[in-house]
Amino acid sequence: MNTRRPVAAALAVAGYVVMLVPILFVVVTAFTAGSTLRFPPEGLSTRWFEEALGYEPFLTALVSSLQLAALATALALLIGVPVAVAIHRGRIPGKGLVEGLFLSPLIVPELVVGLALYQQLMIGFGLDSLTALTLGHTALMIPYAVRVTGASLALADPHVEEAARGLGASPLRTFATVTLPLLRPGIFSAALLSFVTSFNNVPLSLLLQTREFRTLPVTMLDYVQQSYDPMVAAMATLILAGTVVLAVIAERTVGFAKIFGGINR
């Protein structure tokens, strides 16, 4: 066991380096005073942040991404929360099969899902891009709602709900006054995780978007294929900063360790 710990620590450090160093390169490059993506940067300036915030295609795509992520997150929670309650508190046959069914979108490649949705929804039923993207993102976000909300229920004491029922509370009142407050941290964490994941999605959005509705990550991908200036790095840094702020708020409000600690139970 002692010989494994240094190896595990070294692998952990290597993993952090692989994840963090590219991000640091992007952030540093965003503050360059030069006109091309280059490291080390040619001086320091915030000009590219001003350019990114004034670039109309980025702003339009940002609004579209926020709208899509909010819709997909809300629908995923509306479906995922009752499913998690039914799995962990209900008496339904084949709970493992039901849970595996709702978690299955995590193991299916997003390109496969996107191609299937494109053929069935956009070509077959003639749905617009926003509707197809909303349904696709919702399907991908449901596993997060089921798993994270289920983690909250795994950490909660079921005897509290049984006590409320024993005191005469109806199932609906028990859910509203006991179960829902127990679920609130999990719902908040699932909403945050789903929103960020949907906002940053590329494979599914790339296949289902049109000229009328474009998401920010795909718009940034298109831009970087045509231009080599640091404006994309600046926008990526702004998105990273927003994600970090949301994560800090969630940690201060709920605490990730409190929620995700129950996932493996």
Side-chain angles (χ1 to χ4, degrees):
M1 182 65 69
N2 292 332
T3 59
R4 293 181 181 180
R5 290 180 179 177
V7 174
L11 291 175
V13 171
Y16 282 120
V17 170
V18 170
M19 290 188 295
L20 295 178
V21 169
I23 295 176
L24 293 177
F25 282 153
V26 172
V27 173
V28 173
T29 304
F31 287 93
T32 184
S35 300
T36 58
L37 286 168
R38 182 177 177 181
F39 189 87
E42 301 173 357
L44 296 177
S45 174
T46 60
R47 58 172 289 203
W48 294 111
F49 291 93
E50 299 172 2
E51 294 280 348
L53 292 175
Y55 187 58
E56 193 273 336
F58 281 177
L59 298 181
T60 302
L62 173 62
V63 174
S64 298
S65 291
L66 292 173
Q67 178 184 3
L68 174 61
L71 285 173
T73 299
L75 290 175
L77 291 175
L78 286 175
I79 298 172
V81 172
V83 169
V85 174
I87 291 173
H88 289 270
R89 293 292 190 264
R91 297 179 179 178
I92 57 176
K95 290 184 179 181
L97 180 62
V98 173
E99 185 176 14
L101 177 64
F102 281 95
L103 296 180
S104 60
L106 291 176
I107 62 176
V108 180
E110 291 185 21
L111 289 176
V112 175
V113 176
L115 181 60
L117 292 176
Y118 177 77
Q119 292 178 337
Q120 296 297 322
L121 299 182
M122 300 187 72
I123 296 180
F125 294 99
L127 298 181
D128 59 88
S129 179
L130 175 59
T131 303
L133 277 169
T134 301
L135 294 176
H137 279 226
T138 299
L140 294 179
M141 299 308 114
I142 285 176
Y144 297 107
V146 173
R147 198 71 172 115
V148 178
T149 306
S152 289
L153 287 173
L155 292 172
D157 185 359
H159 295 93
V160 177
E161 299 165 80
E162 294 174 2
R165 295 291 301 275
L167 292 173
S170 64
L172 182 59
R173 185 171 184 180
T174 300
F175 177 81
T177 59
V178 179
T179 307
L180 191 58
L182 294 174
L183 284 175
R184 190 175 295 123
I187 293 174
F188 184 85
S189 298
L192 176 62
L193 185 60
S194 298
F195 184 89
V196 172
T197 304
S198 175
F199 183 89
N200 290 291
N201 180 273
V202 172
L204 193 66
S205 302
L206 186 64
L207 288 171
L208 298 180
Q209 74 172 10
T210 61
R211 292 183 179 273
E212 290 74 25
F213 189 91
R214 300 177 64 84
T215 61
L216 181 58
V218 179
T219 302
M220 293 170 62
L221 179 63
D222 292 340
Y223 184 86
V224 80
Q225 293 175 341
Q226 303 170 5
S227 178
Y228 296 97
D229 62 52
M231 185 158 54
V232 168
M235 179 57 75
T237 302
L238 291 173
I239 295 174
L240 176 63
T243 303
V244 170
V245 169
L246 288 177
V248 171
I249 293 174
E251 175 61 27
R252 295 291 180 88
T253 305
V254 179
F256 285 120
K258 178 180 178 181
I259 299 305
F260 295 108
I263 289 182
N264 295 323
R265 294 192 177 187

